[in-house]
Amino acid sequence: VAWKQDASEKERLAEMEEQVTAHIASKAKALVDNHALALTGLVADNALGDVQSLVQRAVEEDGDLVYGLFVDREGKPWAYANREAVAGGVPLGPDAVLQRWTQVPVPEEGWSPAQPGQRRILLQGAEVFEVHHPVLDAGQVLGTIRYGFSTEPLTRALAHVRARSESTRREMLTWLSLSVGVSILLGVISIGRIARRITDPLADLTHAANQIAQGELGVRVTVASQDELEVLAGAFNHMQKANEE
């Protein structure tokens, strides 16, 4: 029973972790999808400054964002912003973008894949969950918008879920242990009572037999167990009465 309960709790924990991960991934996907649409006109019009402002504003407004990056189809960065950059409140200029965007590791599929996707990377020793989406114009890839989300909220949420699950599991095991302990105690008490119902009458019969052996008369045994021992005591008393007569 304990094993089944533990396995069930682990399954529930895995489901909750999957739900938390899916929720955060859904939030990230919604952001890149919306910005991919918003950037189509800006990129087509070569509005580099507006693209940088959009990416900068997104990082400023969402505390979970580690960076935002737009790279055109030729692999040239138009916009980049991270937590350090938004602290100044002024969008990065083209030169600053060129200096800082290389912090982001190069994707295996290149900077401008035709399909949206996601990956986990290490950035300055911290894990980042990156989601990207191509910016399309009439089916043509103009570039890709990428946002990197800190995994700390995910880690905290999963830690909370695991803590709750572990607390539930400990409570379950505690109650199971108490139930087993009470069952064992009741069993010991019950066995002791049954044993005494047998040993006490036998002890009385043994004591009476010793008294008779020492020559005492009028020795009788009283057993009210309503079983074979009571029958045996009755036969013992009848035999002793017959011997005395």
Side-chain angles (χ1 to χ4, degrees):
V1 175
W3 178 83
K4 288 183 178 179
Q5 291 286 350
D6 188 54
S8 176
E9 187 62 24
K10 287 181 178 178
E11 290 179 2
R12 190 179 73 87
L13 173 60
E15 291 176 359
M16 293 179 70
E17 289 183 352
E18 185 176 342
Q19 291 173 3
V20 171
T21 303
H23 173 73
I24 295 177
S26 176
K27 170 188 172 182
K29 182 177 181 300
L31 177 65
V32 295
D33 288 354
N34 290 334
H35 280 203
L37 292 174
L39 286 168
T40 298
L42 297 178
V43 176
D45 294 338
N46 290 317
L48 189 149
D50 291 338
V51 173
Q52 175 63 38
S53 296
L54 178 66
V55 173
Q56 177 105 1
R57 187 167 59 253
V59 177
E60 286 177 349
E61 294 176 353
D62 193 332
D64 293 335
L65 274 177
V66 177
Y67 65 84
L69 172 65
F70 174 76
V71 181
D72 67 16
R73 62 189 175 190
E74 297 176 355
K76 178 183 177 181
W78 283 32
Y80 176 71
N82 58 13
R83 303 311 307 172
E84 179 184 352
V86 300
V90 179
L92 295 176
D95 293 339
V97 170
L98 287 174
Q99 292 174 0
R100 298 190 185 188
W101 82 289
T102 54
Q103 296 174 347
V104 181
V106 179
E108 293 182 0
E109 68 276 15
W111 287 113
S112 296
Q115 299 296 328
Q118 61 190 43
R119 62 172 178 160
R120 289 179 183 267
I121 62 174
L122 283 178
L123 190 65
Q124 297 179 345
E127 187 181 47
V128 176
F129 178 67
E130 182 192 87
V131 179
H132 63 266
H133 196 290
V135 176
L136 304 173
D137 184 17
Q140 183 180 10
V141 177
L142 302 180
T144 302
I145 180 67
R146 297 174 179 271
Y147 284 111
F149 288 79
S150 171
T151 59
E152 289 185 7
L154 173 61
T155 301
R156 289 196 301 268
L158 294 181
H160 178 67
V161 169
R162 292 190 185 101
R164 288 179 55 190
S165 177
E166 180 63 21
S167 176
T168 301
R169 191 177 71 87
R170 284 198 301 267
E171 290 179 2
M172 176 191 67
L173 291 176
T174 298
W175 282 110
L176 285 174
S177 299
L178 288 174
S179 298
V180 171
V182 170
S183 297
I184 292 174
L185 179 60
L186 293 176
V188 170
I189 293 174
S190 179
I191 291 173
R193 288 179 176 177
I194 294 173
R196 283 195 299 273
R197 289 182 60 184
I198 297 173
T199 58
D200 289 353
L202 290 177
D204 291 342
L205 287 168
T206 301
H207 180 65
N210 290 333
Q211 288 178 306
I212 294 170
Q214 295 173 4
E216 293 186 25
L217 299 175
V219 178
R220 299 291 185 272
V221 179
T222 302
V223 176
S225 59
Q226 298 181 350
D227 56 14
E228 292 81 357
L229 290 172
E230 184 174 349
V231 175
L232 178 61
F236 178 89
N237 291 333
H238 180 73
M239 179 186 67
Q240 181 60 16
K241 181 179 179 181
N243 290 335
E244 291 176 350
E245 294 176 350

